[in-house]
Amino acid sequence: MNNIIDGVTASLELKKNIKKEIEKDGLTPSLAVIMVGDNKASKIYVRNKKKACEMVGINFTEINLPETISEELIINEIRRLNEDDLVNGILVQLPLPSGFDEGKIINEISPLKDVDGLTYQNVGNLVLENECLVSCTPMGVMELLKMYNVPLKGKDVCIVGRSNLVGKPLIQLLLQQDATVSICHSKSVNIKDYTKRADVLIVAAGHPNLITKDMVKDGVVVIDVGINKENDSLCGDVDFKEVSKKASLITPVPGGVGPMTVASLLKNVVKAYRVQNR
Amino acid sequence: MNNIIDGVTASLELKKNIKKEIEKDGLTPSLAVIMVGDNKASKIYVRNKKKACEMVGINFTEINLPETISEELIINEIRRLNEDDLVNGILVQLPLPSGFDEGKIINEISPLKDVDGLTYQNVGNLVLENECLVSCTPMGVMELLKMYNVPLKGKDVCIVGRSNLVGKPLIQLLLQQDATVSICHSKSVNIKDYTKRADVLIVAAGHPNLITKDMVKDGVVVIDVGINKENDSLCGDVDFKEVSKKASLITPVPGGVGPMTVASLLKNVVKAYRVQNR
């Protein structure tokens, strides 16, 4: 039985569709990424985003700023990009070096160009079910569930992790699909009580092997958002080897949610382009 | 054993404190309420808000607009109040008569004056844990839990109902207190599985007798946000008579959450005043 959710193939399909859409409708979307300092992991992520943009026909600009720059100058750069009609999406690569106020900087991005869906305006409109740009990883998770026809209406969905980037937006997206949602986190006492009952378990906690096979029921759908480094290799938050024996569907790490995040970013850039040009 | 949460007394205490604060610091907060049409229940609610404002020393203005008014003129009125430095809080009494776009109208209110916490800016900032104005009923619920020393950290809290006004803001407020949160709603299949395990059960569904004694565990804390009319008397969403036998604490309806909502509104007006005058 093949119960592996193939995020690589799914994301390729998404990208193909985006590329087709851009060509067919003659769109000229563009993304600007601001990178402060030279965090090694961030550099790899930015390179992946660049490659993906080029693959589908999104114009990509990278703005590299030194770690020693002032908050004010970063904000000036964002304001310049907000004003630039040729830039449709703006993304500040996180994490910023320590000392910067990420929330303050992010909220300088025009909500119409906030393709990471992190400004308070987009976060609020997501809750209120208004048109908005949604954070890319949760979007990717929802896209995978849809592509694999996982029913959500009335289903028990457990989210482990309550970050602004993943857990909190997922609450809203899952409620919109009429799931019954529970949210566990580092202060939860009885995580297993919740995970064990879940029809769909989404884990975004950042702890390797947090979810073991005794914590899930047979037939569960497992989405592992964690990316952890162990002995020079990547792993998620789920004990994949054992949990995959019980799951009806499960994402691997790498090759699960990760590629979908980038594909969702592309989708957001095109959406932002359309909203700005209608 | 007295296990009744007395919202009337709790709200009186809150109001007393607000009155003291206003007098001591020489504050001059003011609230403007826009009422469209003459919905009977709304009129009672507005009258209660007026009385409460007068009691604590908040200047109260009521703006009555006819049901036949255009959306544009309501919005003009809001914009005028946004500009008026003597008005600190603006509230559009809901529901509006049918035909009006409530979301659009509400979002015209300056987020700094949005004392109902309903604009997308305040909703987003609540999620991101930034300074904001929070919806009054959820605030009142949290205040009651605090006043009655109900522990929340690591506790299992079940919310029944996912409205923008009550259920959704409660998710955020409870997560901020480190509760494990589950949200059930009309499409949930196994509500009882969740309610039965809850240490704290908050019900805001609008269905009389939705929660029966077989659905809760011994010692549960029950907060009943529902206000339903049955045979000319008010009742909540919980079968109070039976559930109160198992609960360690429970709110009555009326006299539970209701009075706290108005007290929270007063708190928000003072907060808005302070933010606007700092």
Side-chain angles (χ1 to χ4, degrees), chain A residues 179-246:
Chain A
T180 303
V181 181
S182 56
I183 313 109
C184 297
H185 46 74
S186 54
K187 300 297 189 304
S188 293
V189 177
N190 311 311
I191 292 192
K192 189 175 163 182
D193 283 358
Y194 289 90
T195 58
K196 186 94 191 174
R197 151 197 321 187
D199 299 308
V200 178
L201 174 60
I202 305 175
V203 193
H207 291 290
N209 294 314
L210 178 69
I211 305 298
T212 46
K213 72 173 174 189
D214 58 303
M215 295 172 75
V216 301
K217 71 176 180 190
D218 280 319
V220 64
V221 173
V222 178
I223 306 287
D224 189 350
V225 184
I227 301 185
N228 310 293
K229 222 173 180 174
E230 275 209 324
N231 313 324
D232 270 343
S233 75
L234 293 178
C235 70
D237 293 347
V238 177
D239 177 358
F240 181 83
K241 197 175 154 217
E242 291 302 318
V243 172
S244 62
K245 290 175 188 163
K246 291 177 90 177

Side-chain angles (χ1 to χ4, degrees), chain B residues 156-217:
Chain B
D156 295 310
V157 181
C158 176
I159 304 167
V160 180
R162 53 173 164 172
S163 68
N164 290 339
L165 214 58
V166 184
K168 286 182 184 172
L170 273 173
I171 299 172
Q172 307 302 329
L173 295 168
L174 290 162
L175 284 177
Q176 284 178 21
Q177 298 300 314
D178 291 333
T180 304
V181 181
S182 55
I183 313 110
C184 297
H185 47 75
S186 56
K187 300 297 189 302
S188 293
V189 178
N190 310 313
I191 292 192
K192 189 176 164 181
D193 283 357
Y194 289 91
T195 58
K196 186 96 190 174
R197 149 195 324 187
D199 300 309
V200 178
L201 174 60
I202 305 174
V203 193
H207 290 289
N209 293 314
L210 178 68
I211 305 298
T212 47
K213 72 172 173 189
D214 58 305
M215 295 172 75
V216 302
K217 72 177 180 190

Side-chain angles (χ1 to χ4, degrees), chain B residues 48 58 89 112 123 180 233 244-245:
Chain B
N48 287 341
I58 290 175
L112 293 175
V123 170
T180 304
S233 75
S244 63
K245 290 174 188 166

